Amino acid sequence: MKTSYKLLAASSLFALAAGSAAAQTELRMMWYNDGIEGEVMQSLLDGFHQAHPDINVTLDVVPYQMVLESLPIQLAAGNGPDIARVTDLGGLSQYYLDLRPHVQNPEYWETNFGPFLSWLDPDGDAINGFMTQLTVTGPYVNRTLFEQAGIDMPGAGATWDDWATAVNAVAKALDIPIPMAWDRSGHRVAGPAISQGAMMFDAEGAPALVDDGLKRMAQMLYDWHQDGTMSKELWGSVSGSTYLGANEDFANANVVMYMSGSWQIPQFTSTIGDAFDWWAVPAPCGASACTGMPGGAALVAIGDTEHPKEVGILMDYLAQEEVLAEFYGRTLFIPGHLGLASSGIDFATDDPRAAHALSTFAAAVPTISPTAFQLQGYPSNRVLFNALISRLNEAIVGELTLEDAFARMEEDVANQLAESGR
Amino acid sequence: MARVYDKPQTTGEALTHVAATPVRVLFRLLDYPMSAIQRLLGIGGMPWLFLLPNLVFFGMFVVIPLFLNFAYSLTGGTALFLSDRPFVEGEQYGFLFDCENYADPLSCREDRFWKGIFNTAIFIFFQVSFMVLFSLITALVLNREIRGRGFWRAVFFFPVLLSPVVVALIWKWILLRDGILNAFLVSIGLERILFFVSPDWAMFWAVFVSIWAHMGFYMLILLAGLQAIQPDLYEAAEMDGTSKERVFFRITLPLLWPNMLVVIVLALIKGVQVFDEVYVLTGGGPGTATQFIVQYIYNTAFTNQVQNFGLASAASMVLGGVLFVLTLTQLAATRRRDNA
């Protein structure tokens, strides 16, 4: 009798454990970090788990390079995560899950994420996810260096040439090694190129990378590398389309002006703090415009998930206005939620430099050129970006003439688009 | 005749007998199936049975991927699975070899492939030459009766144990604008040098770091060769009053030559495959100055938005052909050494 009682208790416990294990749904979210957003997301996921104890979400934090290079292969092989944070928004759209049947209120999503949903699904009207951040490219300057050199910062409407003259003067006066630095990224170059008149597409909407506007920008960048305005250390020291940022050099006050974007705000808040006045300034002007490039990262649901219903529940939870307000507020990211963008975010910072940078980049959004939006929404935009930086780099270090580089850019774009079209 | 374990004579033998019991039981258990298999396969088939596990792994991870790679090189598009990719015959090879003048990479349609080949050739020439030279010198020095010989052998071998990424990061920190080497140059009143901006400096450091990281391995092979030379040959030469140079060129070098050949061929093979160290150290730059053939394959397959697996596979087949020839040379060299 005693043995039977023990057996019964053991089998009941086993059944209970097995039952709870069977009810638990495991979701995996691939994530990369620019700053502290991983920590913030983890705390939001902890909140989600309390509200939905039957769904367990594992946050897999990986290097950004892995999101760019390995994730597409995982997705093609059907071995991707359930949810991922991506920046190649339209390029991976074939792998996304349409959340429309799985979210409670599709209208809420359309109202608040509407313009960005088409970045994720350029050819349809699917709901695939939401923007974890909107970004705008633009420069930061070390205002303290300007003050120490006794040189005035160029004002509104200043051109790239005005800035080049000013930063060279500051660098010369204070013996700063790098007057100006741009991230080694095609996306970063695209804004100034459009400002110089680059159209990026022909009249039929087909990609047309090389035109007079792009040539003007390329010549400018080439000349700056030859005359020392920009150091070849960043653009010249690696090959191909490798991304390199000058954020560490800027944080170490080795750079007077740094062309990057709004996503650097949280990082500069923590790494630079009040060591010097890091100051965001509006995008300098070219011959045609004064524009940066829009962009951002999105949290998307992956089509191969075995748990679309649970993914829908999680995405609904994370996309709530109050949850996103906390996320954007703590991460200092420009909101990709229209309701929050208009009502305003209570950013968790009392740093005046961060507050100024946030308002500068937010104010830049209405000045972004339609061409920049078109380029950002083009699914194969990285083909253009990569051809641009890799060939321009070869010209900068003297392996190609600029004219040869332009010809190679066009060939690279044509070859890659032809390959993807097979 | 009684077997030794039947009747242990001493306590030690008794303990050995007890300790060996499980092994004996295991061997007896195995004896029956093995005998049955031997009857089935015959004595000549038994070596194949023992090779089978290795052959299975070799087939799975070398032979099948090789054929798959070749199949991919005949396809186009961006689909991952072979069944989804269109067959394009030798188009990828045609694209790679479409050149007006093979001596001028810029005249080729796929200029980066040819730049990769040229850069790899330059790298191999300098790296293998200096690697063999420095390994030989180090082995000769460490073969002598010097103080702390064991310590110095360990010092020279230590970098071999490090991960290539660690090696590259250490040297990158040394060579950067604000690195230790530039700090030293500035401290003695010299100008700072931007090593990774100059193509010549970048290639120099790629070669240097590679030699630093791998020299210990080749040194060890040569040291083993040196220690295998009979000392009486040197004694006889000394009695004849032969000069040290003559001893080196007439005794040491000829007898070490089979080991040298192995070192040269192994260094060549490793040189053709160079990637990780240089990728972390220079990123292939400046421009394409240190972009080698393996990095070209990696970039073509993975870093572009349009991941061109077909073209990358075709380039890998070309690289595989070069490695095959070098491996055959190495096998021939090893055989000659064994027969010597």
Side-chain angles (χ1 to χ4, degrees), chain A residues 64 106 163 289 323 333 375:
Chain A
Y64 179 56
W163 276 104
V323 175
F333 284 162
L375 181 59

Side-chain angles (χ1 to χ4, degrees), chain A residues 150-171:
Chain A
I151 293 168
D152 290 335
M153 277 173 36
T159 63
W160 277 108
D161 286 334
D162 297 333
W163 276 104
T165 307
V167 296
N168 270 313
V170 171

Side-chain angles (χ1 to χ4, degrees), chain A residues 65 68-70 72-74 76-78 88 90-92 177-178 184 231-242 249 254 378-384 386-387 390-391 393-394 397 399-400 404 408 411-412 415-417 419-420 422, chain B residues 75-81 85-88 91-92 95 105-112 115 172 176-178 194 196-197 199 279 281-291 295 298-299 301-311:
Chain A
Q65 198 80 352
L68 280 184
E69 294 173 12
S70 302
I73 295 170
Q74 287 182 30
D88 189 3
L92 299 173
I178 306 172
R184 192 179 187 280
S231 166
K232 286 182 185 171
E233 273 177 278
L234 196 66
W235 273 65
S237 67
V238 290
S239 70
S241 56
T242 307
D249 273 323
N254 286 328
Y378 177 58
S380 299
N381 55 17
R382 274 183 57 219
V383 171
L384 275 64
N386 289 352
S390 58
R391 293 304 184 176
N393 176 39
E394 287 168 34
V397 299
E399 290 181 358
L400 295 176
D404 287 341
R408 289 285 184 182
E411 281 176 31
D412 287 352
N415 288 337
Q416 291 207 33
L417 292 180
E419 196 66 32
S420 66
R422 282 196 208 249
Chain B
T75 62
T78 56
L80 183 63
F81 294 111
R85 300 175 60 83
F87 179 64
V88 296
E91 214 175 282
Q92 306 286 16
F95 184 69
L106 291 179
S107 73
C108 299
R109 213 168 149 208
E110 187 59 346
D111 56 328
R112 285 172 182 152
K115 281 182 192 168
K172 195 166 186 169
L176 282 174
R177 175 160 44 86
D178 296 322
L194 301 179
F196 298 126
V197 167
Y279 184 68
L281 184 71
T282 68
T288 54
T290 56
Q291 183 181 292
Q295 192 187 340
Y298 171 73
N299 285 344
F302 300 113
T303 64
N304 292 329
Q305 186 178 22
V306 176
Q307 298 182 322
N308 197 337
F309 302 123
L311 192 62

